[in-house]
Amino acid sequence: MHQNWAGNLTYSAREIVRPTTLEQLADLLAGPERVRALGSRHSFNDVADTDGVHVQVDVLDDGRPAVDVLDADGVENGVVSVNAGLRYGEVSRGLHATGRGLGNMASLPHISVAGAVATATHGSGDANQSLAGAVVGLELMTPAGELRRITRDEHPDVFPGTVVSLGALGVVTRVELATVPTFAVRQDVAEGLPWDAYLENFDAITSAAYSVSAFTSWDEPAVRHVWFKSVVGSDGGGVPQVPGARWSTVPVHPLPGVDASATTEQLGVTGPWHERLSHFRLEFTPSAGAEVQTEYLLPRRNAVAAIEAVRGLGPKVAPLLQTSEIRTVAADDLWLSPFDEPSVGLHFTWLPREADVRALLPDLEAALLPLGARPHWGKVSTVDPRDMAALYPRFGDFRDLAGRFDPDGRLHGGLVARLLG
């Protein structure tokens, strides 16, 4: 028996298999049992679960470099192909060494590429799409043992349905990501920004830097911290222009009272993109470990109304909360992505009291679902899977696609089985 990273979920799979070759993976998929890909176990629900076999591809060797900068006719095209089981922190270091970078990172560099992409995990920034938005191609092995490469350019009819796929189409072995020239970032933290100032200037604040995240416990008189990650230009960059901001003079952690040694460097110190865009350093265990997470993604046009609705529930929310984060995300065209228009994410890191959290969530969902909220695919919610499916206009097309790739449902399990069953 094995558990997810936070320890709030025990998986049903009888074993974990880590094939080292494509042939071994094909043999596993040809067997009689159900199979589900397992990433870095940073999902807080059973989206990756199965009663059969879990497969991890982090040690899979297909004869190519784990981080392989591609080219077209001998000219680099800005695309990198990576082993799907690698963590973003590992990919980013290898990529930076080549002079390239990713446009965005999630809060944690510890999550696997394929797992984050499959669940529409995201970072922050008005112009930054989710991590899945950087995908231009992927390779996956279907339950029939067929290795397929699907790209945006060559398969425009089905590509948008194969990226955020919840692992329902096959075991992803490689992911192709669009890159940018490497760049430098500084990180500054504003403290105690009054709620009125934050909400009245929401658009100006979220656009004041490349990536902006606000942290709160919802019952506080002010937004506790707002983290600004700014791209540094030839002039050396500077502190973002935010009226009324009081800038922290010591490093801070997203969780109140926790030592900041695990966080990426702050106080305006310039560093490479992969050492600033995430909140935490790869070498440290992030956050508190024992926790439960929930997130709701909403249309940005309803951001202020959603924030005010949660503030109204502050007395109920705060006693169960470690911290909460507010982020913005740009739109994409992926079928199961919750970001079909500019969006805002309201993220909750709870104390490890899941029964109490689940008792509270219907109140949160009653306030947020009428505003267009969709639960994060990999986090805890109490929304019925049938209702979750109904929130996505292309879900019927995705169901059909999953039926073509996996006609016998051997990749079904956990949340995916309830969605597609």
Side-chain angles (χ1 to χ4, degrees), residues 150-172:
I150 302 169
T151 70
R152 178 176 285 279
D153 289 341
E154 297 174 4
H155 310 90
D157 54 334
V158 298
F159 176 81
T162 62
V163 182
V164 182
S165 68
L166 310 181
L169 306 181
V171 175
V172 177

Side-chain angles (χ1 to χ4, degrees), residues 10-59:
T10 298
Y11 294 112
S12 304
R14 68 170 179 81
E15 67 172 327
I16 302 176
V17 178
R18 301 172 74 201
T20 58
T21 67
L22 291 172
E23 292 75 18
Q24 290 177 1
L25 177 59
D27 288 342
L28 175 65
L29 285 166
E33 293 187 278
R34 295 185 187 271
V35 178
R36 291 284 290 160
L38 184 67
S40 49
R41 310 188 198 186
H42 276 80
S43 290
F44 293 80
N45 62 16
D46 62 352
V47 67
D49 204 9
T50 178
D51 58 6
V53 175
H54 267 145
V55 58
Q56 291 184 295
V57 297
D58 55 327
V59 296

Side-chain angles (χ1 to χ4, degrees), residues 99-141:
R100 306 297 297 181
L102 297 175
N104 205 6
M105 297 272 283
S107 298
L108 307 180
H110 310 73
I111 55 178
S112 69
V113 174
V117 164
T119 54
T121 295
H122 62 95
S124 187
D126 284 3
N128 296 328
Q129 295 178 327
S130 77
L131 301 183
V135 178
V136 296
L138 50 80
E139 295 178 21
L140 60 83
M141 188 170 287

Side-chain angles (χ1 to χ4, degrees), residues 45 62 73 78 106-107 128 170 186 203 225 279 283-284 305 353 390:
N45 62 16
D62 61 4
D73 298 324
S107 298
N128 296 328
R186 61 175 290 160
D203 290 342
H225 295 138
H279 296 333
E283 296 81 5
F284 289 81
R353 295 165 54 185

Side-chain angles (χ1 to χ4, degrees), residues 355-406:
D356 294 331
V357 169
R358 286 184 175 275
L360 169 65
L361 291 185
D363 291 340
L364 264 179
E365 291 159 359
L368 295 178
L369 289 178
L371 296 173
R374 296 164 171 168
H376 188 290
W377 289 116
K379 303 187 190 296
V380 173
S381 81
T382 59
V383 178
D384 187 286
R386 292 168 295 183
D387 295 330
M388 291 176 67
L391 298 174
Y392 294 85
R394 300 296 300 271
F395 192 86
D397 295 321
F398 178 77
R399 186 194 303 275
D400 292 342
L401 186 66
R404 296 203 302 271
F405 276 68
D406 179 26

